[in-house]
Amino acid sequence: MVKLVLRDISKKFEDTTAVDYVDFSIDEGSFFTFLGPSGCGKTTLLRMIAGFIKPDTGRILLRNKDITHIPSENREIGMVFQNYALFPHLNVYENIAYGLKIKRITKKEIGNKVEKYLNLVRLEGYENRKITELSGGEQQRVALARSLVVEPKVLLLDEPLSNLDAKLRDKMRIEIRDLQKELGITTIFVTHDQTEALTMSDKIAVFNKGKCIQIGTPREIYAAPTNTFVATFVGETNLFEAEIIDDEAKLNNGIMMDIKKSSTGSYLSIRPQDIKISKEFKNMRNTFKGKVEKIQFNGVVVEYIVDVVRTKFKVSALNNIYIDTEINVGDEVSILIHKNTINVLNNA
């Protein structure tokens, strides 16, 4: 069942197009991420869904009901802001209960609901804590509970992890995703962080310059980017301009590579981990000799920069017992690239 539909949504601020005729739907109960760089329109679109900004064109439908011009407080949509927007003069209980008090339900029902969502976000016993006494992760849980306690049909999350340190960010990614699965609530998550998008989402919409460039599962977005922008923004890649001749590609340095049949475009995208590196030179298709210029040890992964006829290839290999630890800077090596790992793309 389709939960939320965006039909030809656009928004301009003076001469700047923030959202450029976005048109897609979001499934019931899914975790859907808007991914893109700063200024690409993802937060503007989120705020239009919330009702804080009115679109210039288009319609927003929630369960077949047009909510485009319905006030934000009547849309049954909850939102967690980037800075959490908690009330510092209220304690944890009062912050979570705030939306329920506006609905004027009984004090007993408010108490039951606040207790339920305090337990869900694992803040039992924090009812009387001041907001200033909480850590960043605890404040985020309060903001989540405050949005969820009114039991919205859709939950909007506007870069809620950006103010947390790296270790806590990893932990909260798991907690938010687990909570969303438990509740089954349709969730739209805005981020510029590719790791957050890839690890948390059922589907991702990649934005650039107000346009929705590609929608797909994390695996689809990563493995089959639609153009050079998506390939370079989502994950690392080797990107080379090339001339496509039937089922071969010719790089600027004259290297010829086998590619998948019927590939069209003028750029090759090859993920670093899809390139095999070895000191054994084998007479195989798409095997090229080069020299190791740099090696970077990152713990789990070892990264190599290999020069092949004045073209730099980045190669990543897992650091395990099978890795050829005898490869050093200055060594001659061979790299192997299977044609099925090469994406032929048009420039963004």
Side-chain angles (χ1 to χ4, degrees):
M1 176 181 176
V2 170
K3 181 78 173 185
L4 185 71
V5 177
L6 307 174
R7 289 186 179 165
D8 292 324
I9 301 295
S10 67
K11 184 67 183 178
K12 268 191 173 186
F13 296 104
E14 295 181 351
D15 295 329
T16 301
T17 300
V19 177
D20 195 359
Y21 292 97
V22 167
D23 193 303
F24 58 80
S25 60
I26 296 170
D27 291 337
E28 177 96 24
S30 66
F31 195 106
F32 195 102
T33 296
F34 295 172
L35 174 67
S38 297
C40 70
K42 56 189 188 296
T43 294
T44 299
L45 184 58
L46 194 79
R47 294 178 72 85
M48 285 193 282
I49 295 170
F52 302 138
I53 300 174
K54 299 298 181 187
D56 295 333
T57 68
R59 295 195 298 155
I60 302 168
L61 293 93
L62 181 58
R63 286 184 174 171
N64 296 319
K65 179 182 179 182
D66 191 334
I67 64 168
T68 313
H69 302 291
I70 292 177
S72 58
E73 63 270 20
N74 297 329
R75 291 194 179 198
E76 297 184 276
I77 291 176
M79 184 162 180
V80 176
F81 297 90
Q82 185 173 359
N83 63 357
Y84 312 141
L86 298 173
F87 302 115
H89 62 286
L90 302 180
N91 63 24
V92 169
Y93 182 97
E94 292 165 336
N95 264 278
I96 297 173
Y98 182 81
L100 296 174
K101 288 180 178 178
I102 292 174
K103 290 178 177 290
R104 298 187 177 183
I105 63 176
T106 67
K107 189 173 182 180
K108 182 179 180 182
E109 192 175 352
I110 290 174
N112 291 337
K113 284 182 176 288
V114 171
E115 182 182 3
K116 173 185 174 180
Y117 285 94
L118 273 170
N119 292 338
L120 268 176
V121 299
R122 297 191 290 111
L123 284 178
E124 308 95 323
Y126 281 68
E127 293 89 333
N128 297 316
R129 293 275 187 97
K130 295 178 180 179
I131 297 302
T132 53
E133 296 173 343
L134 303 179
S135 67
E138 289 165 348
Q139 288 185 27
Q140 186 192 63
R141 290 191 183 101
V142 174
L144 276 169
R146 186 180 64 181
S147 293
L148 292 169
V149 75
V150 295
E151 298 178 345
K153 290 186 172 70
V154 179
L155 177 65
L156 309 179
L157 304 174
D158 186 12
E159 303 210 41
L161 305 178
S162 60
N163 295 324
L164 305 178
D165 62 61
K167 191 171 183 180
L168 184 54
R169 207 157 51 233
D170 290 344
K171 181 181 179 183
M172 291 307 299
R173 280 206 302 262
I174 297 169
E175 290 193 8
I176 289 174
R177 187 61 169 118
D178 287 348
L179 182 60
Q180 186 270 336
K181 285 181 179 178
E182 182 177 348
L183 296 174
I185 185 171
T186 304
T187 300
I188 304 174
F189 183 84
V190 162
T191 185
H192 62 271
D193 188 305
Q194 56 177 291
T195 301
E196 290 177 5
L198 291 171
T199 56
M200 298 176 72
S201 313
D202 294 313
K203 280 194 175 180
I204 300 170
V206 182
F207 287 83
N208 190 33
K209 297 178 181 178
K211 293 182 179 292
C212 180
I213 307 300
Q214 183 176 1
I215 295 175
T217 65
R219 188 174 293 277
E220 288 167 347
I221 295 288
Y222 187 83
T226 194
N227 61 24
T228 57
F229 171 78
V230 179
T232 53
F233 190 78
V234 183
E236 287 190 272
T237 195
N238 294 280
L239 192 67
F240 306 114
E241 194 169 359
E243 180 185 0
I244 307 304
I245 308 166
D246 296 327
D247 57 353
E248 286 188 307
K250 183 180 181 181
L251 273 59
N252 291 338
N253 63 359
I255 289 177
M256 299 294 295
M257 287 188 191
D258 287 353
I259 58 174
K260 291 173 281 191
K261 289 183 179 180
S262 303
S263 296
T264 58
S266 55
Y267 284 84
L268 305 185
S269 171
I270 310 165
R271 299 293 186 187
Q273 72 274 14
D274 290 329
I275 303 176
K276 307 304 179 187
I277 184 170
S278 175
K279 292 182 77 172
E280 298 178 13
F281 299 109
K282 297 178 180 178
N283 188 24
M284 298 173 64
R285 299 294 293 175
N286 282 9
T287 301
F288 309 101
K289 293 182 180 181
K291 181 177 285 188
V292 178
E293 286 196 346
K294 292 180 183 177
I295 299 176
Q296 182 169 304
F297 178 75
N298 292 335
V300 176
V301 172
V302 181
E303 297 178 344
Y304 303 89
I305 302 297
V306 180
D307 183 281
V308 178
V309 195
R310 301 176 306 282
T311 296
K312 315 295 182 188
F313 287 81
K314 186 171 186 177
V315 183
S316 297
L318 278 176
N319 176 35
N320 56 36
I321 60 173
Y322 303 107
I323 194 171
D324 188 345
T325 56
E326 297 303 314
I327 295 177
N328 299 298
V329 173
D331 285 353
E332 285 197 348
V333 294
S334 65
I335 59 172
L336 171 63
I337 307 169
H338 194 282
K339 67 179 182 181
N340 289 338
T341 67
I342 302 172
N343 282 307
V344 181
L345 306 172
N346 288 309
N347 198 20

